[in-house]
Amino acid sequence: MSLEEVPLFYWTILFVVAVIFGILGFIYGKASPSSSNESSEDIQMLEIANAQLKSDLMACQQKLPSKEKQEDHFKTENVAALGTQATFDPKRAKAAFGKNIKENDLKLVEGIGPKIEGLFHNFDIKTWEKLSETSADTCQKVLDSGGKRYRIHDPASWPMQAKMAYEGHWEQLAEWQEKHRAGKY
């Protein structure tokens, strides 16, 4: 069938469809700029709100004390509130544990015995404070230095226990150790 033989009916349908799509395209094209105008208005409103929030933030930051003052206040507050190692109180420690406690005795930490204490001393970790500042990974390295027989120990809680001892939280430490007897959680 050639183009000359195509019935007029098909040409009419093709023309009507083209006109409809043309009208729809025109309408869509007219609608798009107005929606972009609305979008730009939204963006302007958001920029204004953002500027307002930034100015509020700056005002709040100016009201806050400096970072040094905050840190000093935090340190002073902690020493007063927690009694962090102001003095070692053997009577309170004995009351909590029911036995005499020597200051900086690493064996007080659940899971550390005399041999493991010796390993820590080899790494110059001889106080509760020093052990409390030691990561669990470093504790594991200390254990690894002793050989295969120390693999069964889990030092994850040792820094936390040492911190409780260093800060004089005897009742809390004794209670924690009672709940986690023999290193089992």
Side-chain angles (χ1 to χ4, degrees):
M1 188 188 310
S2 70
L3 285 178
E4 297 167 2
E5 297 176 3
V6 175
L8 184 61
F9 174 74
Y10 289 119
W11 286 109
T12 307
I13 291 177
L14 183 63
F15 179 74
V16 170
V17 169
V19 169
I20 290 173
F21 277 111
I23 293 171
L24 289 175
F26 178 77
I27 293 171
Y28 180 76
K30 285 288 188 176
S32 291
S34 67
S35 67
S36 69
N37 285 342
E38 290 173 10
S39 295
S40 64
E41 288 174 9
D42 289 342
I43 290 172
Q44 288 175 347
M45 299 254 313
L46 290 173
E47 286 175 351
I48 291 169
N50 188 25
Q52 180 64 40
L53 289 172
K54 283 182 181 180
S55 68
D56 290 347
L57 177 62
M58 287 177 56
C60 288
Q61 286 175 338
Q62 290 173 351
K63 291 178 185 177
L64 288 175
S66 69
K67 186 175 183 180
E68 293 88 20
K69 288 181 183 176
Q70 288 176 350
E71 289 174 356
D72 289 344
H73 174 72
F74 179 73
K75 288 177 186 173
T76 305
E77 186 179 89
N78 277 347
V79 169
L82 301 176
T84 53
Q85 196 59 29
T87 57
F88 171 66
D89 187 356
K91 291 179 183 176
R92 280 191 55 224
K94 183 177 182 175
F97 284 93
K99 63 181 182 180
N100 288 328
I101 303 295
K102 292 188 331 187
E103 186 173 11
N104 291 316
D105 181 7
L106 299 183
K107 295 183 298 291
L108 177 66
V109 172
E110 178 70 29
I112 296 180
K115 292 181 181 179
I116 293 176
E117 182 182 44
L119 293 175
F120 276 102
H121 287 181
N122 292 341
F123 279 76
D124 199 32
I125 299 171
K126 299 178 181 181
T127 64
W128 293 323
E129 178 183 18
K130 190 90 172 193
L131 180 57
S132 72
E133 296 168 349
T134 304
S135 70
D137 289 337
T138 302
C139 290
Q140 188 62 54
K141 288 178 186 173
V142 170
L143 286 175
D144 292 345
S145 74
K148 294 179 182 178
R149 65 181 171 190
Y150 296 103
R151 287 185 184 171
I152 62 169
H153 297 281
D154 181 11
S157 68
W158 295 354
M160 182 252 331
Q161 291 181 63
K163 184 174 183 175
M164 282 192 262
Y166 171 69
E167 292 178 351
H169 299 292
W170 303 113
E171 295 81 12
Q172 293 156 328
L173 177 59
E175 183 180 318
W176 187 93
Q177 288 182 350
E178 185 63 33
K179 287 181 183 175
H180 301 90
R181 180 108 6 225
K184 295 180 180 166
Y185 306 118

